[in-house]
Amino acid sequence: MTHAPNDRAPSPTYQKIAKTLGQSAPSGTDLQRNQQKIAQLMAQLNQIVLDKPQAVKLALSGILAGGHLLLQDLPGMGKTTLAQGLAKLLGLSFSRVQFTNDMLPADILGMSIYDQSKLRFEFRPGPIFTQLLLADEINRSSPKTQSALLEAMEERQVTQDGQTYPLPQPFFVIATQNPLQQAGVYPLPESQLDRFLLCLSLGYPSPMAERELLKGQDRRELLKDLDTVLDTEAVLLAQQGVKQVYVADVVLDYLQRLVAKTRASQEYHGLSPRGVLSLQRAAQAYAYVSGHMEVTPEDIQAVFAAVADHRLGQRFAPAQVVGGQAPQTIAQRILADVPVIV
C-alpha cells in the first residue's frame, strides 16, 4: 500500500490550534519533525521500561489519540513507571491517586468548603484537575468511587453542586488494575471499561531485561533524569496530526469486517459505535507514531486487541502473563478468522 505523502495540507482545525498557540500552520516538515521527537521519546521510555517496546508504542499511541489507558497486570510489573515516564517526557502536570476501598468520590473530584471570611461555599479542586491522572489500583475502590471518573473521562469536565468545572487540556487518565483473583478488588463495569481507549498488559521481563534491572540504576532515579521531549503545545498539535492520517476505503472495509465479526458471536456483545471510532482513532495514532500518514491493515492489527478485548469481556488473569505461550485472546482469534482482502 502506498503511503500518503507527509506534506498533506493540515486541516482547518489543525491550523486553528496552531494559530491559538501562536504558531504558524504546521507543514509536512513540521509533522515530520514532530514524529522525530516522538521516536526520541519512545527511545528514552524504552530505556526506563525495559523489553516492552510494543506496549510503550501502544501507550504513546493512546495518548496521542486523545484516549485513556488501562494497564492491567500483577503488582510490581512497571505500570506506574510507564505512566510517570510518559508524564515526564510529555511535559504534563501529573497527579497520582492511590485507590482504596474507603475512598470517596470527593477525594478525587474535590469538594465545596464553607469559607467563613467570604460567607459562602467555595469549590476546592481535587487531584483530578491535572493533565495526566494516574488512578493507581482503580479496582480496589468501590463502584461508587470508580463511577466518579466517568464524566471526567468522557466530557473532560467535573460537575459538583450544580456547577461544571472544565479540566486542563489535554487531559488523560492512566489507570492500573490488579487481577480479579486477588483479594479486595471490584470489577470495573462495562460502562467504565468502554471509556478506556486501550487496555495493555506488560507481563514479565525477559531474563536479559531482568538482569539489566538487577545490575542497572534504580528506575526512580532514571525517571528523575528524564527531560521533556514534547511539551503541551506539541502534544496538542500531535493529536491534531493524528486526525490527518488518511484511512482508505479498502482499509475501512477491513476494519468493518473485524467489527462485524465481533457482533456475530453469541458469547459476548460486539463493539459499539464508540468502540469502532476508538479502533479507527487508535490505528491512526499508531500509524502516526510509526512515521507514516496513512493507516494500513497492519496498523489496525497492531491495536485491535488493545482496543477490543476489554470491550468484548476478555478478563485479565495472571496465567496470561506467566512464562510460556499465552492463550489467544478474543481479538486475536477474530484477527485470525477475518481476511484482510476478500
Side-chain angles (χ1 to χ4, degrees), residues 199-256:
C199 180
L200 307 173
S201 295
L202 296 179
Y204 291 112
S206 67
M208 185 179 298
E210 195 162 49
R211 177 63 65 90
E212 189 171 343
L213 284 172
L214 292 170
K215 298 179 67 175
Q217 191 174 354
D218 188 281
R219 302 295 104 180
R220 288 169 292 188
E221 295 299 322
L222 291 176
L223 283 171
K224 292 179 183 178
D225 296 335
L226 288 179
D227 294 322
T228 298
V229 177
L230 291 177
D231 57 17
T232 298
E233 288 78 9
V235 172
L236 290 170
L237 288 173
Q239 287 180 342
Q240 291 302 317
V242 165
K243 296 176 183 178
Q244 297 292 300
V245 177
Y246 177 68
V247 187
D249 286 342
V250 65
V251 176
L252 287 177
D253 290 341
Y254 176 54
L255 183 151
Q256 288 191 292

Side-chain angles (χ1 to χ4, degrees), residues 32-327:
Q32 198 169 20
R33 188 179 300 113
N34 222 25
Q35 288 171 331
Q36 290 172 352
K37 289 185 178 180
I38 287 170
Q40 177 188 346
L41 186 153
M42 285 195 295
Q44 291 193 37
L45 196 52
N46 280 320
Q47 295 298 314
I48 304 293
V49 184
L50 298 175
D51 193 38
K52 303 298 174 186
Q54 184 63 9
V56 166
K57 189 174 182 179
L58 284 169
L60 182 59
S61 298
I63 293 294
L64 296 187
H68 309 291
L69 304 179
L70 178 62
L71 305 178
Q72 53 183 13
D73 227 318
L74 297 169
M77 290 293 190
K79 304 183 294 295
T80 301
T81 301
L82 174 59
Q84 291 175 329
L86 281 169
K88 193 80 178 287
L89 290 167
L90 294 172
L92 302 174
S93 59
F94 177 80
S95 291
R96 176 182 178 181
V97 177
Q98 184 66 47
F99 279 62
T100 57
N101 58 5
D102 60 349
M103 179 176 285
L104 299 174
D107 295 327
I108 306 168
L109 305 180
M111 64 182 72
S112 295
I113 298 177
Y114 188 73
D115 189 333
Q116 291 186 341
S117 63
K118 299 180 181 179
L119 301 179
R120 67 185 183 193
F121 284 93
E122 287 195 346
F123 179 67
R124 301 290 176 84
I128 198 170
F129 285 84
T130 187
Q131 292 177 318
L132 196 155
L133 174 71
L134 173 58
D136 212 2
E137 297 186 311
I138 188 174
N139 59 340
R140 290 197 177 278
S141 65
S142 66
K144 180 178 181 180
T145 303
Q146 292 175 9
S147 64
L149 292 175
L150 292 178
E151 180 188 11
M153 293 174 69
E154 184 67 18
E155 307 294 336
R156 266 65 175 184
Q157 64 183 29
V158 168
T159 301
Q160 286 286 81
D161 301 324
Q163 294 291 323
T164 298
Y165 305 93
L167 292 168
Q169 294 298 320
F171 172 73
F172 309 103
V173 173
I174 298 182
T176 70
Q177 72 167 349
N178 296 331
L180 295 178
Q181 292 82 358
Q182 295 191 341
V185 299
Y186 302 84
L188 295 179
E190 286 77 4
S191 59
Q192 180 135 26
L193 287 172
D194 195 45
R195 297 301 200 278
F196 290 101
L197 178 69
L198 301 175
C199 180
L200 307 173
S201 295
L202 296 179
Y204 291 112
S206 67
M208 185 179 298
E210 195 162 49
R211 177 63 65 90
E212 189 171 343
L213 284 172
L214 292 170
K215 298 179 67 175
Q217 191 174 354
D218 188 281
R219 302 295 104 180
R220 288 169 292 188
E221 295 299 322
L222 291 176
L223 283 171
K224 292 179 183 178
D225 296 335
L226 288 179
D227 294 322
T228 298
V229 177
L230 291 177
D231 57 17
T232 298
E233 288 78 9
V235 172
L236 290 170
L237 288 173
Q239 287 180 342
Q240 291 302 317
V242 165
K243 296 176 183 178
Q244 297 292 300
V245 177
Y246 177 68
V247 187
D249 286 342
V250 65
V251 176
L252 287 177
D253 290 341
Y254 176 54
L255 183 151
Q256 288 191 292
R257 286 197 298 274
L258 290 172
V259 171
K261 185 70 174 178
T262 71
R263 296 171 179 171
S265 174
Q266 300 298 317
E267 301 176 10
Y268 46 81
H269 296 292
L271 288 182
S272 67
R274 177 162 55 190
V276 177
L277 290 171
S278 296
L279 178 57
Q280 175 178 304
R281 189 154 43 101
Q284 287 176 296
Y286 191 87
Y288 185 86
V289 169
S290 300
H292 52 266
M293 295 297 290
E294 180 178 358
V295 173
T296 67
E298 290 78 11
D299 297 321
I300 293 176
Q301 292 165 355
V303 303
F304 185 63
V307 171
D309 270 332
H310 63 290
R311 291 181 166 90
L312 300 178
Q314 180 79 37
R315 294 296 182 181
F316 167 73
Q320 291 177 280
V321 295
V322 176
Q325 185 65 35

